[in-house]
Amino acid sequence: MTELKENAPVLDVRNVSKIFNIPTPGFERQYIAAVDQVSLILQEKPAKIVSLVGESGSGKTTLARIMLGLTPPTRGEVLYKGKQVAELNKEEWWDFRRNVQPIFQDPFGIYNPFYRVDRALDITIKNFGLASSNDEIYALKAEALRAVDLRPDDVIGRYPHQLSGGQCQRVMLARTLLLRPKIIVADEPVSMIDVAVRMLFLNILLDFRDKYDISSLMITHDLATAYYMGGPMVVLCFGRAVESGDIMQLLNNPAHPYTQQLLAAIPTPDPTQRWETRANVKITDRPLTHEGKKCVYAARCPYAMPICSQQRPPDYIVEEGHYVACFLHQDKPKVSEVMMSAKATRRAEKVARTHGED
Ligand code: SF4
């Protein structure tokens, strides 16, 4: 049986798909690919914040749930330290739960309104055996709360309705920090809290990265949030990763028409540049899986060509570290071909070394 490998990536998402069967009035079944062959690696070091950006219904939350081991993928695999999450034994599952921590969107939905909010911290400390006396428990809680810019006296002993959404969300960050995880999967963590405290929350995640080496997957529909966090970004469109690279590469040189549309939708804070024309956006239904052999964006894309409705676009290399799945970039090298030739080179080097040793 495979063991956990400490030098393997903490989370390695390989070609993961999630297909949902949607009931219809007739006998015909409809299948929707919420996530369609997505791959993603989250390493322990160097700690990074990876942004996963897409509109509502693009499959972000489904992908987050798959990565957290809450939803099994239909195809593909999620490896934790080199071992499939579905095959983790009890001990390894605890290790996974400690090192891969979620932060959900609704700051109130995760608390039981009948219990004090710091109960979430108490349970974590107890379940993971982090302290052995009441004094130690209080000291740990207070330290974690201060690290997320909360005063312990303002939080300990309070009920959820006595705190703001931003405070509740930061208590969740404090709970996470108690465990010193390697990865935080944060699903739209700031979309339901006041604009004024959003930046504070994001700064805490940046602090976690810099002070405690904690990486995060920041799932958001908001490009401005991704820009603030910096680092790598993946654009998800109808369940597919259509473009990825460093955020500055994508903002300065967006290669996929969908990314270009997302950027064009950001209002310019300049009164001299008024919106005089409406954005030309076609609203279309989500493509079904039986159409999976074409570009998911074809129905909306202003540059669609015949090939876009006949084949699934492969990933092309726009520049180093910047990839796009779009036929507009057919003149660029394909990722699969570059990987094959790199593999062939490595194989040839190995053979040459072996013969040299002989
Ligand atoms: Fe548009 Fe074709 Fe590119 Fe899809 S592959 S985004 S339809 S140009």
Side-chain angles (χ1 to χ4, degrees):
M1 188 177 280
T2 325
E3 298 294 321
L4 296 184
K5 297 181 192 122
E6 288 307 320
N7 56 354
V10 182
L11 273 182
D12 185 356
V13 178
R14 293 187 181 174
N15 246 354
V16 155
S17 297
K18 182 70 190 178
I19 318 289
F20 289 112
N21 182 353
I22 308 294
T24 59
F27 290 108
E28 203 181 321
R29 287 170 173 236
Q30 283 196 334
Y31 297 94
I32 287 196
V35 177
D36 192 353
Q37 297 181 30
V38 173
S39 297
L40 195 66
I41 289 184
L42 292 173
Q43 312 254 30
E44 181 180 359
K45 288 196 177 155
K48 282 184 184 164
I49 297 183
V50 179
S51 297
L52 186 66
V53 178
E55 63 190 288
S56 300
S58 59
K60 306 186 297 291
T61 297
T62 307
L63 183 59
R65 291 185 59 83
I66 291 171
M67 292 173 78
L68 290 165
L70 302 175
T71 298
T74 311
R75 283 195 282 274
E77 52 189 13
V78 180
L79 305 182
Y80 170 66
K81 295 184 183 174
K83 184 170 181 180
Q84 284 215 42
V85 169
E87 290 174 3
L88 298 178
N89 62 31
K90 199 173 163 197
E91 203 179 306
E92 292 162 343
W93 179 246
W94 273 98
D95 191 68
F96 174 81
R97 283 187 57 194
R98 180 171 188 149
N99 283 320
V100 183
Q101 280 290 308
I103 299 281
F104 295 111
Q105 182 175 16
D106 182 356
F108 294 107
I110 34 186
Y111 294 99
N112 184 327
F114 297 107
Y115 292 116
R116 296 178 172 94
V117 284
D118 53 306
R119 184 171 178 266
L121 307 180
D122 291 335
I123 289 177
T124 302
I125 293 171
K126 190 170 152 244
N127 283 351
F128 288 90
L130 304 178
S132 49
S133 68
N134 285 343
D135 285 350
E136 260 188 81
I137 291 174
Y138 185 87
L140 268 182
K141 286 198 290 189
E143 186 198 350
L145 289 168
R146 282 192 210 101
V148 297
D149 225 7
L150 287 169
R151 285 190 305 189
D153 291 347
D154 291 347
V155 174
I156 293 175
R158 301 289 178 99
Y159 289 90
H161 70 270
Q162 295 176 302
L163 301 181
S164 69
Q167 285 175 314
C168 282
Q169 206 60 322
R170 276 184 284 153
V171 173
M172 274 296 119
L173 273 182
R175 190 200 71 85
T176 298
L177 184 64
L178 285 171
L179 296 170
R180 297 288 194 276
K182 296 192 188 323
I183 309 267
I184 293 175
V185 178
D187 185 7
E188 298 271 16
V190 292
S191 64
M192 288 178 71
I193 60 179
D194 289 348
V195 175
V197 285
R198 274 183 198 175
M199 202 170 277
L200 175 61
F201 186 96
L202 298 178
N203 285 342
I204 292 168
L205 280 184
L206 290 169
D207 274 356
F208 280 12
R209 179 195 65 190
D210 300 336
K211 289 187 192 159
Y212 307 108
D213 274 340
I214 300 174
S215 295
S216 297
L217 179 70
M218 164 64 73
I219 297 173
T220 178
H221 64 277
D222 180 19
L223 269 179
T225 301
Y227 174 65
Y228 188 75
M229 303 310 275
M233 174 169 124
V234 179
V235 178
L236 212 60
C237 174
F238 290 139
R240 285 192 201 166
V242 293
E243 187 165 1
S244 61
D246 185 83
I247 177 94
M248 293 318 292
Q249 288 176 315
L250 271 72
L251 294 187
N252 292 331
N253 181 23
H256 197 280
Y258 176 63
T259 316
Q260 292 163 7
Q261 184 202 317
L262 286 179
L263 280 170
I266 299 175
T268 315
D270 180 354
T272 61
Q273 292 187 18
R274 295 175 66 86
W275 279 351
E276 279 162 6
T277 50
R278 288 171 69 94
N280 183 18
V281 178
K282 285 186 261 173
I283 303 299
T284 54
D285 287 338
R286 192 179 223 290
L288 303 178
T289 46
H290 65 260
E291 293 178 298
K293 285 198 167 49
K294 68 181 199 180
C295 171
V296 276
Y297 196 58
R300 279 198 201 174
C301 181
Y303 311 107
M305 305 168 274
I307 190 175
C308 307
S309 303
Q310 294 154 5
Q311 292 178 30
R312 179 182 176 127
D315 290 330
Y316 296 98
I317 303 174
V318 183
E319 57 194 308
E320 198 183 335
H322 183 183
Y323 311 102
V324 66
C326 172
F327 286 120
L328 289 175
H329 300 272
Q330 288 179 86
D331 56 324
K332 311 265 179 7
K334 280 187 204 165
V335 172
S336 54
E337 285 170 2
V338 172
M339 279 173 65
M340 292 260 288
S341 94
K343 246 188 204 169
T345 311
R346 275 202 302 276
R347 217 176 297 128
E349 282 172 0
K350 201 172 163 191
V351 171
R353 268 203 308 275
T354 314
H355 282 275
E357 281 164 16
D358 284 344

